[in-house]
Amino acid sequence: MELQIYNTLTRRKEIFKPINAPHVGLYVCGPTVYGDAHLGHARPAITFDILFRFLTYLGYKVRYVRNITDVGHLEHDADEGEDKIAKKARLEQLEPMEVVQHYLIRYHNAMSALNVLPPSIEPHASGHIIEQIEFIKKILDAGFAYISEGSVYFDVEKYNKQFHYGKLSGRNIDELLETTRKLDGQEEKRRSIDFALWKKAAPEHIMHWPSPWSEGFPGWHLECSAMGTKYLGETFDIHGGGMDLMFPHHECEIAQSCAALGHETVKYWMHNNMITINGQKMGKSLGNFITLDEFFNGNHKLLSKAFSPMTIRFFILQAHYRSTVDFSSEALEASEKGLARLLEAYSRLKKISPAKTSSVDVKGLKEKCLEAMCDDLNTPIVISHLFDASKAINSIHDGKETISAEDLNELLEVFKTFIEDILGIKTSEGNSNNDAYQKAIDLLLNIRLEAKRNKDWATSDKIRDELTALGFSIKDTKDGFEWQL
Ligand code: ZN
């Protein structure tokens, strides 16, 4: 089975053929660290975590680079205004790196709660100023940039005569020339469509570095061109990010790389779709801006309750990454129930006793799940196959169907591979000693069972009542008991 991915550049699904198999270079635009992580951070992180996990499962050796934008991403426009991080630092009287560190730790904690694997390399833009200056020099040498008042701008019109500006986003340069709005300090640029590669810092600007052109800072788009090629080479396999980055960020990245190197750097461009909340775009001004921490603790007026990180992850995976996802408390509650059902079946599966005959098609299940993943990472279809298998597991559990020892082992393997390894669902949250914890509860409930047999109702009730008070639900069954938290 071959992996097919949708290439945004060619606008069609293509069979994935790495440039240098078994090695795969994957670059994903990471967060700008100036505020708490929210859903907009969760979706690309989870989308490309799935890709990273699946490529690894297929046997590829993936070098996954996800950058940290800590300079050059400006409040209103990539060219003008004050850097978001610098602004926060100035307002709160902090070192810019204090702001970065504060939010980066929080970002990492949120990603770890969502079970997003850390990338192989996580380079900071501010740690790659030299590489960015060298990249600008190449663009200048090739004649696609010009210096103006200590800043360096990319000459889009000249570039477009030789290459194609707009090929990723499908935008038309003539329309862009007309519609690009007037900007402060625009007179430095020949055309409003030109974008900054290097900006001379204003005296009050607190983040700046020396360069051949001025004391200043790099333009936002440059970091990804410089760091992507530094760590993955002049041509690499996959570049990913949110759809909102397609223009201007990724379009400018393509232009920078073609101008400096004479060719495109990226073979496959992948973009995840956006998230809406109750049908609306997420925004601070709309009052529907919910941080991941607020989801995890339920502390927001739009949330009916707290939702676990795995519920958020499962909810995101129930949509294909190229579809929009609309968050609402009701939708999350449905996902929470669905996930609980799936995990309950998984935990039942671990306790099933095999029979001589089998009425479950385990091989077919594995193939169908693989087929869905190979079809441009179709996680919702994988999940629906796992739900079908859960029904079969429940029938076996109820004695209506049977499974052989061989099939049981394989089914356990399929569930572990797809639920835990590929979809990255943790089966028990916030518990690193999951096994010991499960065994301790089983032990308590076995003591209760023994007490019941001895008609020691006081002990039996005490164990049940106190576990119930702790949030466990306990069900007596014909073979003993079932419990969940
Ligand atoms: Zn980027």
Side-chain angles (χ1 to χ4, degrees), residues 265-282:
T265 301
V266 177
K267 196 169 170 192
Y268 307 93
W269 282 91
M270 289 176 77
H271 292 93
N272 63 274
N273 212 320
M274 297 289 103
I275 278 169
T276 51
I277 295 192
N278 297 318
Q280 272 187 312
K281 219 181 137 178
M282 203 167 51

Side-chain angles (χ1 to χ4, degrees), residues 27-30 67 69 220-221 223-225 239-240 245 249-250 253:
Y27 188 95
V28 175
C29 291
N67 68 300
T69 298
W220 168 38
H221 315 306
E223 60 179 82
C224 294
S225 291
H239 191 317
L245 294 178
H249 186 52
H250 291 158
E253 261 191 60

Side-chain angles (χ1 to χ4, degrees), residues 80 146 148-149 151 153 185-190 199:
E80 304 299 331
Y146 56 90
S148 171
E149 313 277 335
S151 295
Y153 292 99
Q186 187 192 300
E187 61 277 8
E188 278 183 16
K189 297 197 278 186
R190 290 182 193 157
K199 276 296 284 181

Side-chain angles (χ1 to χ4, degrees), residues 188-388:
E188 278 183 16
K189 297 197 278 186
R190 290 182 193 157
R191 294 282 200 167
S192 60
I193 194 177
D194 295 347
F195 57 92
L197 299 170
W198 187 263
K199 276 296 284 181
K200 183 181 175 179
E204 68 276 13
H205 210 288
I206 50 178
M207 287 171 94
H208 48 80
W209 292 263
S211 81
W213 314 289
S214 66
E215 186 76 19
F217 52 92
W220 168 38
H221 315 306
L222 197 62
E223 60 179 82
C224 294
S225 291
M227 297 190 290
T229 50
K230 177 181 168 91
Y231 294 111
L232 298 174
E234 282 196 5
T235 50
F236 61 85
D237 299 295
I238 307 171
H239 191 317
M243 244 169 69
D244 53 333
L245 294 178
M246 225 149 79
F247 189 87
H249 186 52
H250 291 158
E251 198 70 65
C252 292
E253 261 191 60
I254 292 177
Q256 288 165 161
S257 294
C258 289
L261 309 168
H263 58 81
E264 231 297 42
T265 301
V266 177
K267 196 169 170 192
Y268 307 93
W269 282 91
M270 289 176 77
H271 292 93
N272 63 274
N273 212 320
M274 297 289 103
I275 278 169
T276 51
I277 295 192
N278 297 318
Q280 272 187 312
K281 219 181 137 178
M282 203 167 51
K284 285 214 165 98
S285 57
L286 295 168
N288 67 357
F289 192 88
I290 313 176
T291 68
L292 289 171
D293 277 348
E294 286 165 341
F295 275 106
F296 302 161
N297 61 34
N299 209 352
H300 193 283
K301 64 175 175 10
L302 292 178
L303 298 174
S304 56
K305 60 191 276 298
F307 292 99
S308 76
M310 279 312 107
T311 300
I312 304 284
R313 186 176 176 107
F314 191 66
F315 179 75
I316 287 177
L317 293 177
Q318 279 182 299
H320 187 258
Y321 75 91
R322 284 193 287 118
S323 317
T324 52
V325 162
D326 187 43
F327 267 80
S328 65
S329 259
E330 299 77 62
L332 279 172
E333 281 171 32
S335 276
E336 188 176 48
K337 286 194 188 109
L339 179 61
R341 266 203 328 272
L342 185 63
L343 293 182
E344 191 184 7
Y346 187 17
S347 115
R348 279 178 172 171
L349 180 64
K350 291 175 183 164
K351 293 174 192 154
I352 278 174
S353 329
K356 287 215 166 60
T357 56
S358 217
S359 50
V360 189
D361 178 14
V362 183
K363 286 214 164 49
L365 170 69
K366 186 179 176 180
E367 231 157 79
K368 281 192 279 185
C369 289
L370 259 181
E371 203 178 302
M373 280 306 293
C374 283
D375 181 17
D376 196 28
L377 313 178
N378 205 333
T379 55
I381 299 294
V382 174
I383 290 170
S384 75
H385 292 318
L386 292 171
F387 272 132
D388 288 346

Side-chain angles (χ1 to χ4, degrees), residues 48-158:
F48 294 102
D49 185 51
I50 295 293
L51 176 65
F52 182 34
R53 285 168 181 271
F54 190 55
L55 288 170
T56 307
Y57 167 81
L58 292 176
Y60 293 116
K61 300 196 181 325
V62 187
R63 184 180 294 162
Y64 176 15
V65 181
R66 190 183 67 206
N67 68 300
I68 300 293
T69 298
D70 57 358
V71 65
H73 194 167
L74 305 172
E75 191 71 52
H76 305 292
D77 180 271
D79 289 356
E80 304 299 331
E82 192 174 12
D83 193 296
K84 284 172 176 171
I85 290 161
K87 186 176 178 188
K88 195 133 202 154
R90 185 172 54 76
L91 291 175
E92 296 176 17
Q93 297 197 5
L94 297 166
E95 265 295 316
M97 279 303 134
E98 272 184 287
V99 178
V100 170
Q101 182 73 356
H102 174 80
Y103 290 114
L104 188 54
I105 289 170
R106 295 170 74 84
Y107 174 76
H108 282 156
N109 288 343
M111 290 308 118
S112 151
L114 291 168
N115 207 21
V116 167
L117 297 173
S120 329
I121 306 176
E122 199 170 40
H124 287 235
S126 66
H128 295 76
I129 302 295
I130 293 168
E131 288 83 352
Q132 296 184 66
I133 290 173
E134 290 308 308
F135 214 94
I136 297 172
K137 284 183 188 165
K138 283 187 195 157
I139 299 174
L140 275 168
D141 289 348
F144 292 110
Y146 56 90
I147 305 162
S148 171
E149 313 277 335
S151 295
V152 184
Y153 292 99
F154 192 92
D155 189 337
V156 173
E157 207 175 20
K158 183 165 179 200

